Each structure stands twice: as structure tokens, then as C-alpha cells.
Amino acid sequence: MDVTRYARQMRFRPIGETGQKRLADARVAVVGVGALGCVIAQHLVRSGVGFVRLIDRDIVEWSNLQRQLLYTEQDAEDLLPKAEAAARRLGAMNGTVAIEAVAADLSADNAESLLDGVELIVDGTDNFTVRYLVNDYAIKHGVPWIYGGAVGASGMTMTILPDETPCYRCVFPETPPPGASDTCETAGVISPIVDVIGSLQATEALKLLSGNREALHGTLFQADLWNHAWLPLSIRHAKRPDCPVCGEERRFEYLDHDEQVPIAAALCGRNSVHLTPGTKVALDLGQLAERLSAAGELDQNPYLLRVKLKNDMTFVLFSDGRAIIQGTEETSKARSIYAELLGI
Ligand SMILES: [Zn+2]
């Protein structure tokens, strides 16, 4: 163990040498390396957590740079997947940590394999469905996870310990109907709130991983930085006996969801649609590049192809068949462009 590197952290009594060794042996998955995920991953890697898996489906875009603290203008120019760009930067911060970059969309199809082998999952997504999926996996396998969300100048976080605390579904039983809650599109977001919430999540992770469970805050913690309001809500009585996930039923409907048609989802605040094929595909991007160059100006790197289409839209295609269609929020339109270009 690199004692010099971690000297200040080990001098902090609750961690000490024992806690530092535990961190070195720990294995964590960060789901989503956007604004929150960048903060969380940086703290975990600098603290010497032994293994960090970064799961993210997006590429770095200009509109990310205002608050996604690991990325640079060059990453956006190079169309890098966030998982790859983050892994490079984090690797330069601490070469002793095993960092695994997974450029994929976490779904019912791959959650069991992508979340396998970790003792903690930290939420860096902005997506309710993915959180329900992570919650299903965590409760099913008894893995703690740390929820976090931020919008505007406000955010919240909660640490979920299977069989001990309420689960995410106990506290948020239903996905809010579209338009019912603020999103980063309607309310925007400032970067300090992301830093605060991500740091709270990282602190909870350090407590758990270093063997300091008793120090967890044990609340649904909310903060509003603009109005300087700090609100820890008690969740002591929030566990619902009729919760479909952590109650008697133990029904994991997000994890067991069997989707066969291409799934399309409009991306928050991005005038984009993300498409995931219903079946597993492995595309030969080199071969496709030739064909797709007829459709518009083409850029490529080892991870993806980007075609600037003639109708002012942009088509980004990954080798696993996922695509981001920029310039529309209509999922049906995006699907038809996908079908036209790929013939599937
Ligand atoms: Zn529950």
C-alpha cells in the first residue's frame, strides 16, 4: 500500500490503516459518469478504492462541460464515450486503482453481468428507470447502493442497505408521470449542487467501504444551495411492508423485464433520442463507415461513428448497435432514421 499517498486520509482516525486496507480491497460500480458520477468516481479513485467500474452510455458533449468535472473540450471534440474519457483521466490521478470502463446502457438485459462482483453501487444517473433497475438488483443480491439526484440548485441522496433501511421503491413507489417533476431540461442545473450531492455520496461510500457503517447519515438528505437549506428527512418509518421489491413479494419487475423491440428514450435536455436494439448485435464499424458516408459527413473513432445527416440531424452509432440521434426528441422519427440507415 502506498502509505505516503494516503497519509492524510489514514491519519483521519475513523479510517486509519485498517480502513485504508479495506478501501484497497473494495470493489465499486459507478452507474452513470455524468455530473454526479464524475465527482463520485474522482473521490473513490483518489481515496484508493481498489476497483472502480464506470458504466455510462453517452459520449462527452459540449453541454456537459459546465458541470461534468472530469471532461475537457478535447474529449468533446474527439467524441469520446464518457466511460473511456473518465477512465483515462482517473487513471492519470491514481495508477494503483483498477478502473474498468464500460460504454454501455445499463438495462435488464445486462444488469446481472455489469453489476456482478461489486460490493457497492453508487448512482450517478439522471434516470428513474435505471434507479429502479439498480434497486431491484441491489435488493435481490444484498448489495448496498447510494442514490443521488440533482436539479436546479437542489439535490437529494439516500443510502440503501438491503434488509436494513427502506429501499428506493419504498420511498419513491412510482416513476413520476412525464412532466410532473423538474428535470435538468426544465429547471437547469448549477455545478456546485452536483459537487455537494456527489461528495455526500462519496462520503457515504467511504464510510461503508472502510467499515464505518454506524457513521452513515441514515436519512433522505435534501439540500437547496440557492436558499441555503439543509434538510435531513427521517426514513426510519419509511420501509413499506407492501413494497414489491424489499417486502415479502420480492418482485423485481425492472430486472426481470423482457424487452424485445428497440427501446427509444428522449434524453433530458439534449434534443436527442437514445436507441437501444432489442437484440444483441456486434457491428463492424469499419465496414459500416463506408456505407454510411453516403448519408452525410462522417467522423469515427475506435468506439463510434458519427454522421452529420443532410436534415441537420446527427446520427451517432456504437458498435453494440446503440445509437444517439441528435436534433429530434421524437422517438418515432429517431426509430425510422435508425431503420433507414441500418436497414433493421
Ligand atoms: Zn422497499
Side-chain angles (χ1 to χ4, degrees), residues 51-97:
F51 172 88
V52 178
R53 184 178 295 147
L54 307 168
I55 306 169
D56 194 287
R57 68 184 187 184
D58 288 326
I59 54 173
V60 179
E61 294 181 73
W62 286 92
S63 65
N64 301 149
L65 300 178
Q66 164 253 349
R67 67 194 178 286
Q68 305 194 8
L69 306 180
L70 290 175
Y71 306 127
T72 63
E73 294 180 350
Q74 194 62 50
D75 296 333
E77 288 281 354
D78 293 344
L79 303 173
L80 284 185
K82 287 182 186 174
E84 293 291 340
R88 287 184 196 180
R89 205 116 309 122
L90 293 165
M93 292 171 189
N94 191 343
T96 68
V97 173

Short mmCIF file of all heavy atoms in Angstrom, two decimals, residues 51-97:
data_model
loop_
_atom_site.label_atom_id
_atom_site.label_comp_id
_atom_site.label_asym_id
_atom_site.label_seq_id
_atom_site.Cartn_x
_atom_site.Cartn_y
_atom_site.Cartn_z
N PHE A 51 -10.96 -1.15 -6.85
CA PHE A 51 -11.52 -1.43 -8.17
C PHE A 51 -12.74 -0.55 -8.39
O PHE A 51 -13.66 -0.53 -7.55
CB PHE A 51 -11.92 -2.91 -8.25
CG PHE A 51 -12.68 -3.27 -9.50
CD1 PHE A 51 -12.00 -3.64 -10.66
CD2 PHE A 51 -14.07 -3.24 -9.53
CE1 PHE A 51 -12.71 -3.97 -11.82
CE2 PHE A 51 -14.78 -3.57 -10.68
CZ PHE A 51 -14.10 -3.93 -11.83
N VAL A 52 -12.76 0.17 -9.49
CA VAL A 52 -13.91 1.02 -9.80
C VAL A 52 -14.36 0.74 -11.23
O VAL A 52 -13.58 0.89 -12.18
CB VAL A 52 -13.56 2.53 -9.65
CG1 VAL A 52 -14.75 3.39 -10.02
CG2 VAL A 52 -13.12 2.84 -8.22
N ARG A 53 -15.60 0.31 -11.38
CA ARG A 53 -16.18 0.09 -12.71
C ARG A 53 -17.06 1.28 -13.07
O ARG A 53 -17.94 1.67 -12.28
CB ARG A 53 -17.01 -1.19 -12.72
CG ARG A 53 -17.57 -1.54 -14.10
CD ARG A 53 -18.35 -2.86 -14.04
NE ARG A 53 -17.49 -3.97 -13.71
CZ ARG A 53 -17.86 -5.03 -12.99
NH1 ARG A 53 -19.08 -5.12 -12.50
NH2 ARG A 53 -17.00 -6.00 -12.74
N LEU A 54 -16.82 1.87 -14.24
CA LEU A 54 -17.57 3.05 -14.68
C LEU A 54 -18.51 2.63 -15.80
O LEU A 54 -18.04 2.16 -16.84
CB LEU A 54 -16.61 4.11 -15.21
CG LEU A 54 -15.45 4.51 -14.30
CD1 LEU A 54 -14.43 5.33 -15.08
CD2 LEU A 54 -15.97 5.30 -13.10
N ILE A 55 -19.80 2.78 -15.59
CA ILE A 55 -20.77 2.37 -16.61
C ILE A 55 -21.49 3.61 -17.11
O ILE A 55 -22.13 4.33 -16.33
CB ILE A 55 -21.80 1.39 -16.01
CG1 ILE A 55 -21.09 0.20 -15.35
CG2 ILE A 55 -22.78 0.91 -17.09
CD1 ILE A 55 -22.01 -0.68 -14.50
N ASP A 56 -21.37 3.88 -18.41
CA ASP A 56 -22.08 5.04 -18.97
C ASP A 56 -22.32 4.82 -20.45
O ASP A 56 -21.47 4.28 -21.16
CB ASP A 56 -21.26 6.32 -18.76
CG ASP A 56 -22.09 7.56 -19.01
OD1 ASP A 56 -22.41 7.85 -20.19
OD2 ASP A 56 -22.47 8.23 -18.03
N ARG A 57 -23.46 5.28 -20.94
CA ARG A 57 -23.84 5.03 -22.33
C ARG A 57 -23.56 6.21 -23.26
O ARG A 57 -23.68 6.09 -24.47
CB ARG A 57 -25.33 4.70 -22.40
CG ARG A 57 -26.21 5.89 -22.07
CD ARG A 57 -27.68 5.51 -22.05
NE ARG A 57 -28.51 6.68 -21.89
CZ ARG A 57 -29.82 6.65 -21.77
NH1 ARG A 57 -30.46 5.48 -21.78
NH2 ARG A 57 -30.52 7.75 -21.65
N ASP A 58 -23.20 7.36 -22.70
CA ASP A 58 -23.14 8.58 -23.52
C ASP A 58 -21.73 8.94 -23.97
O ASP A 58 -20.75 8.40 -23.47
CB ASP A 58 -23.70 9.77 -22.73
CG ASP A 58 -25.20 9.68 -22.57
OD1 ASP A 58 -25.85 9.17 -23.50
OD2 ASP A 58 -25.70 10.11 -21.53
N ILE A 59 -21.68 9.91 -24.89
CA ILE A 59 -20.40 10.49 -25.26
C ILE A 59 -20.31 11.90 -24.66
O ILE A 59 -21.33 12.49 -24.32
CB ILE A 59 -20.22 10.56 -26.80
CG1 ILE A 59 -21.40 11.30 -27.46
CG2 ILE A 59 -20.08 9.17 -27.39
CD1 ILE A 59 -21.21 11.54 -28.94
N VAL A 60 -19.09 12.41 -24.55
CA VAL A 60 -18.90 13.75 -23.98
C VAL A 60 -19.40 14.79 -25.00
O VAL A 60 -19.03 14.75 -26.17
CB VAL A 60 -17.41 14.00 -23.66
CG1 VAL A 60 -17.22 15.41 -23.10
CG2 VAL A 60 -16.88 12.95 -22.69
N GLU A 61 -20.25 15.71 -24.52
CA GLU A 61 -20.77 16.77 -25.39
C GLU A 61 -20.46 18.14 -24.77
O GLU A 61 -20.22 18.25 -23.58
CB GLU A 61 -22.28 16.61 -25.55
CG GLU A 61 -22.65 15.33 -26.31
CD GLU A 61 -24.14 15.19 -26.49
OE1 GLU A 61 -24.69 15.93 -27.32
OE2 GLU A 61 -24.75 14.36 -25.80
N TRP A 62 -20.53 19.15 -25.61
CA TRP A 62 -20.19 20.50 -25.14
C TRP A 62 -21.05 20.93 -23.97
O TRP A 62 -20.58 21.59 -23.05
CB TRP A 62 -20.31 21.51 -26.30
CG TRP A 62 -19.18 21.36 -27.24
CD1 TRP A 62 -19.14 20.58 -28.36
CD2 TRP A 62 -17.87 21.93 -27.12
NE1 TRP A 62 -17.90 20.64 -28.94
CE2 TRP A 62 -17.11 21.47 -28.21
CE3 TRP A 62 -17.28 22.80 -26.21
CZ2 TRP A 62 -15.78 21.84 -28.40
CZ3 TRP A 62 -15.96 23.18 -26.41
CH2 TRP A 62 -15.22 22.70 -27.49
N SER A 63 -22.32 20.56 -23.99
CA SER A 63 -23.22 21.00 -22.92
C SER A 63 -22.92 20.29 -21.59
O SER A 63 -23.50 20.60 -20.57
CB SER A 63 -24.68 20.74 -23.32
OG SER A 63 -24.89 19.35 -23.45
N ASN A 64 -22.02 19.31 -21.60
CA ASN A 64 -21.64 18.62 -20.36
C ASN A 64 -20.55 19.36 -19.58
O ASN A 64 -20.41 19.19 -18.38
CB ASN A 64 -21.07 17.22 -20.66
CG ASN A 64 -22.01 16.30 -21.40
OD1 ASN A 64 -21.56 15.47 -22.18
ND2 ASN A 64 -23.30 16.44 -21.20
N LEU A 65 -19.77 20.17 -20.31
CA LEU A 65 -18.52 20.68 -19.73
C LEU A 65 -18.74 21.63 -18.55
O LEU A 65 -17.89 21.78 -17.69
CB LEU A 65 -17.67 21.37 -20.81
CG LEU A 65 -17.26 20.46 -21.98
CD1 LEU A 65 -16.47 21.25 -23.01
CD2 LEU A 65 -16.46 19.26 -21.51
N GLN A 66 -19.92 22.24 -18.51
CA GLN A 66 -20.25 23.20 -17.44
C GLN A 66 -20.27 22.53 -16.06
O GLN A 66 -20.04 23.17 -15.05
CB GLN A 66 -21.62 23.82 -17.79
CG GLN A 66 -22.34 24.53 -16.67
CD GLN A 66 -23.54 23.76 -16.14
OE1 GLN A 66 -23.97 22.76 -16.71
NE2 GLN A 66 -24.06 24.23 -15.02
N ARG A 67 -20.54 21.23 -15.99
CA ARG A 67 -20.69 20.62 -14.67
C ARG A 67 -20.11 19.21 -14.56
O ARG A 67 -20.11 18.63 -13.49
CB ARG A 67 -22.18 20.56 -14.30
CG ARG A 67 -22.96 19.62 -15.20
CD ARG A 67 -24.45 19.78 -15.09
NE ARG A 67 -25.13 18.89 -16.02
CZ ARG A 67 -25.20 19.06 -17.33
NH1 ARG A 67 -24.63 20.10 -17.90
NH2 ARG A 67 -25.82 18.19 -18.09
N GLN A 68 -19.60 18.64 -15.63
CA GLN A 68 -19.09 17.26 -15.56
C GLN A 68 -17.57 17.35 -15.47
O GLN A 68 -16.87 17.46 -16.45
CB GLN A 68 -19.61 16.45 -16.74
CG GLN A 68 -21.14 16.53 -16.76
CD GLN A 68 -21.83 15.52 -17.65
OE1 GLN A 68 -21.22 14.61 -18.19
NE2 GLN A 68 -23.14 15.67 -17.79
N LEU A 69 -17.11 17.33 -14.22
CA LEU A 69 -15.79 17.88 -13.89
C LEU A 69 -14.59 17.09 -14.39
O LEU A 69 -13.47 17.56 -14.30
CB LEU A 69 -15.71 18.07 -12.36
CG LEU A 69 -16.83 18.91 -11.73
CD1 LEU A 69 -16.63 19.02 -10.22
CD2 LEU A 69 -16.88 20.30 -12.34
N LEU A 70 -14.80 15.91 -14.93
CA LEU A 70 -13.65 15.14 -15.42
C LEU A 70 -13.33 15.41 -16.89
O LEU A 70 -12.31 14.97 -17.37
CB LEU A 70 -13.92 13.63 -15.27
CG LEU A 70 -13.94 13.04 -13.86
CD1 LEU A 70 -14.33 11.57 -13.92
CD2 LEU A 70 -12.58 13.19 -13.18
N TYR A 71 -14.23 16.13 -17.61
CA TYR A 71 -14.07 16.18 -19.06
C TYR A 71 -13.51 17.51 -19.57
O TYR A 71 -13.66 18.54 -18.94
CB TYR A 71 -15.42 15.89 -19.73
CG TYR A 71 -16.01 14.58 -19.25
CD1 TYR A 71 -17.30 14.52 -18.74
CD2 TYR A 71 -15.23 13.43 -19.24
CE1 TYR A 71 -17.82 13.32 -18.26
CE2 TYR A 71 -15.74 12.23 -18.77
CZ TYR A 71 -17.03 12.19 -18.28
OH TYR A 71 -17.52 11.01 -17.80
N THR A 72 -12.90 17.40 -20.76
CA THR A 72 -12.28 18.58 -21.38
C THR A 72 -12.89 18.83 -22.76
O THR A 72 -13.58 17.96 -23.31
CB THR A 72 -10.77 18.34 -21.57
OG1 THR A 72 -10.60 17.25 -22.49
CG2 THR A 72 -10.08 18.00 -20.27
N GLU A 73 -12.59 19.98 -23.31
CA GLU A 73 -13.06 20.31 -24.66
C GLU A 73 -12.56 19.27 -25.66
O GLU A 73 -13.28 18.89 -26.59
CB GLU A 73 -12.57 21.71 -25.05
CG GLU A 73 -13.21 22.79 -24.19
CD GLU A 73 -12.74 24.20 -24.56
OE1 GLU A 73 -11.78 24.31 -25.36
OE2 GLU A 73 -13.33 25.17 -24.04
N GLN A 74 -11.34 18.79 -25.45
CA GLN A 74 -10.77 17.81 -26.37
C GLN A 74 -11.61 16.51 -26.37
O GLN A 74 -11.81 15.90 -27.42
CB GLN A 74 -9.32 17.51 -25.99
CG GLN A 74 -8.54 16.76 -27.05
CD GLN A 74 -8.42 17.56 -28.35
OE1 GLN A 74 -8.05 18.74 -28.32
NE2 GLN A 74 -8.75 16.93 -29.47
N ASP A 75 -12.11 16.11 -25.19
CA ASP A 75 -12.95 14.89 -25.12
C ASP A 75 -14.19 15.06 -25.99
O ASP A 75 -14.62 14.13 -26.67
CB ASP A 75 -13.38 14.61 -23.68
CG ASP A 75 -12.21 14.29 -22.76
OD1 ASP A 75 -11.20 13.78 -23.26
OD2 ASP A 75 -12.33 14.56 -21.55
N ALA A 76 -14.78 16.26 -25.95
CA ALA A 76 -15.97 16.52 -26.75
C ALA A 76 -15.62 16.54 -28.24
O ALA A 76 -16.32 15.96 -29.06
CB ALA A 76 -16.61 17.84 -26.33
N GLU A 77 -14.49 17.16 -28.58
CA GLU A 77 -14.01 17.18 -29.98
C GLU A 77 -13.81 15.75 -30.48
O GLU A 77 -14.14 15.43 -31.62
CB GLU A 77 -12.66 17.90 -30.08
CG GLU A 77 -12.71 19.40 -29.89
CD GLU A 77 -13.19 20.12 -31.13
OE1 GLU A 77 -13.36 19.46 -32.16
OE2 GLU A 77 -13.41 21.35 -31.03
N ASP A 78 -13.23 14.91 -29.62
CA ASP A 78 -12.88 13.55 -30.03
C ASP A 78 -14.05 12.57 -29.94
O ASP A 78 -13.86 11.38 -30.17
CB ASP A 78 -11.74 13.02 -29.15
CG ASP A 78 -10.44 13.77 -29.38
OD1 ASP A 78 -10.35 14.47 -30.40
OD2 ASP A 78 -9.53 13.67 -28.53
N LEU A 79 -15.24 13.05 -29.55
CA LEU A 79 -16.44 12.19 -29.44
C LEU A 79 -16.19 10.99 -28.53
O LEU A 79 -16.61 9.88 -28.82
CB LEU A 79 -16.83 11.65 -30.82
CG LEU A 79 -17.11 12.64 -31.94
CD1 LEU A 79 -17.31 11.88 -33.25
CD2 LEU A 79 -18.34 13.46 -31.63
N LEU A 80 -15.50 11.20 -27.43
CA LEU A 80 -15.17 10.06 -26.58
C LEU A 80 -16.37 9.62 -25.75
O LEU A 80 -17.10 10.45 -25.22
CB LEU A 80 -14.03 10.42 -25.63
CG LEU A 80 -12.63 10.46 -26.20
CD1 LEU A 80 -11.63 10.70 -25.07
CD2 LEU A 80 -12.28 9.17 -26.94
N PRO A 81 -16.57 8.30 -25.62
CA PRO A 81 -17.56 7.83 -24.65
C PRO A 81 -17.13 8.31 -23.25
O PRO A 81 -15.93 8.31 -22.94
CB PRO A 81 -17.47 6.30 -24.75
CG PRO A 81 -16.86 6.03 -26.08
CD PRO A 81 -15.96 7.20 -26.37
N LYS A 82 -18.10 8.70 -22.44
CA LYS A 82 -17.76 9.22 -21.11
C LYS A 82 -16.99 8.19 -20.28
O LYS A 82 -16.05 8.55 -19.56
CB LYS A 82 -19.02 9.63 -20.36
CG LYS A 82 -19.63 10.90 -20.89
CD LYS A 82 -20.85 11.30 -20.08
CE LYS A 82 -21.54 12.49 -20.73
NZ LYS A 82 -22.81 12.81 -20.05
N ALA A 83 -17.37 6.93 -20.36
CA ALA A 83 -16.70 5.91 -19.57
C ALA A 83 -15.21 5.87 -19.91
O ALA A 83 -14.36 5.77 -19.01
CB ALA A 83 -17.34 4.54 -19.79
N GLU A 84 -14.87 5.98 -21.20
CA GLU A 84 -13.47 5.95 -21.64
C GLU A 84 -12.73 7.21 -21.21
O GLU A 84 -11.62 7.14 -20.69
CB GLU A 84 -13.40 5.83 -23.17
CG GLU A 84 -13.89 4.53 -23.74
CD GLU A 84 -12.98 3.36 -23.40
OE1 GLU A 84 -11.79 3.58 -23.06
OE2 GLU A 84 -13.46 2.21 -23.46
N ALA A 85 -13.36 8.37 -21.45
CA ALA A 85 -12.70 9.63 -21.11
C ALA A 85 -12.45 9.71 -19.61
O ALA A 85 -11.37 10.11 -19.16
CB ALA A 85 -13.56 10.81 -21.56
N ALA A 86 -13.45 9.27 -18.82
CA ALA A 86 -13.31 9.31 -17.36
C ALA A 86 -12.21 8.35 -16.91
O ALA A 86 -11.39 8.69 -16.06
CB ALA A 86 -14.64 8.95 -16.70
N ALA A 87 -12.18 7.15 -17.50
CA ALA A 87 -11.17 6.17 -17.10
C ALA A 87 -9.76 6.69 -17.37
O ALA A 87 -8.85 6.51 -16.56
CB ALA A 87 -11.40 4.86 -17.83
N ARG A 88 -9.56 7.37 -18.51
CA ARG A 88 -8.24 7.93 -18.83
C ARG A 88 -7.83 8.95 -17.78
O ARG A 88 -6.72 8.95 -17.28
CB ARG A 88 -8.28 8.64 -20.18
CG ARG A 88 -8.34 7.67 -21.33
CD ARG A 88 -8.27 8.44 -22.64
NE ARG A 88 -8.71 7.57 -23.72
CZ ARG A 88 -8.76 7.96 -24.98
NH1 ARG A 88 -8.42 9.19 -25.30
NH2 ARG A 88 -9.17 7.13 -25.92
N ARG A 89 -8.75 9.88 -17.49
CA ARG A 89 -8.41 10.95 -16.56
C ARG A 89 -8.16 10.39 -15.16
O ARG A 89 -7.22 10.76 -14.49
CB ARG A 89 -9.56 11.96 -16.53
CG ARG A 89 -9.12 13.32 -16.12
CD ARG A 89 -9.29 14.37 -17.23
NE ARG A 89 -8.76 14.06 -18.51
CZ ARG A 89 -9.47 14.02 -19.64
NH1 ARG A 89 -10.76 14.25 -19.61
NH2 ARG A 89 -8.89 13.74 -20.79
N LEU A 90 -9.02 9.47 -14.74
CA LEU A 90 -8.89 8.90 -13.39
C LEU A 90 -7.62 8.06 -13.28
O LEU A 90 -6.97 8.04 -12.23
CB LEU A 90 -10.13 8.06 -13.06
CG LEU A 90 -11.43 8.86 -12.92
CD1 LEU A 90 -12.64 7.93 -12.97
CD2 LEU A 90 -11.43 9.67 -11.63
N GLY A 91 -7.29 7.37 -14.36
CA GLY A 91 -6.07 6.55 -14.36
C GLY A 91 -4.83 7.41 -14.16
O GLY A 91 -3.86 6.98 -13.53
N ALA A 92 -4.88 8.65 -14.67
CA ALA A 92 -3.75 9.56 -14.51
C ALA A 92 -3.68 10.10 -13.08
O ALA A 92 -2.63 10.57 -12.62
CB ALA A 92 -3.85 10.72 -15.50
N MET A 93 -4.81 10.05 -12.37
CA MET A 93 -4.84 10.54 -10.98
C MET A 93 -4.34 9.50 -10.01
O MET A 93 -3.75 9.82 -8.99
CB MET A 93 -6.28 10.90 -10.57
CG MET A 93 -6.84 12.09 -11.29
SD MET A 93 -8.59 12.22 -10.89
CE MET A 93 -9.07 13.48 -12.05
N ASN A 94 -4.62 8.24 -10.30
CA ASN A 94 -4.19 7.17 -9.40
C ASN A 94 -4.04 5.87 -10.18
O ASN A 94 -5.01 5.16 -10.44
CB ASN A 94 -5.22 6.99 -8.27
CG ASN A 94 -4.70 6.08 -7.17
OD1 ASN A 94 -3.73 5.34 -7.37
ND2 ASN A 94 -5.34 6.13 -6.01
N GLY A 95 -2.78 5.59 -10.52
CA GLY A 95 -2.48 4.41 -11.33
C GLY A 95 -2.59 3.10 -10.57
O GLY A 95 -2.48 2.03 -11.16
N THR A 96 -2.79 3.16 -9.25
CA THR A 96 -2.86 1.91 -8.48
C THR A 96 -4.28 1.34 -8.45
O THR A 96 -4.49 0.24 -7.97
CB THR A 96 -2.39 2.13 -7.02
OG1 THR A 96 -3.36 2.95 -6.34
CG2 THR A 96 -1.04 2.80 -6.97
N VAL A 97 -5.26 2.12 -8.92
CA VAL A 97 -6.65 1.66 -8.89
C VAL A 97 -6.98 0.95 -10.21
O VAL A 97 -6.62 1.43 -11.28
CB VAL A 97 -7.61 2.86 -8.68
CG1 VAL A 97 -9.06 2.42 -8.82
CG2 VAL A 97 -7.37 3.51 -7.33
#
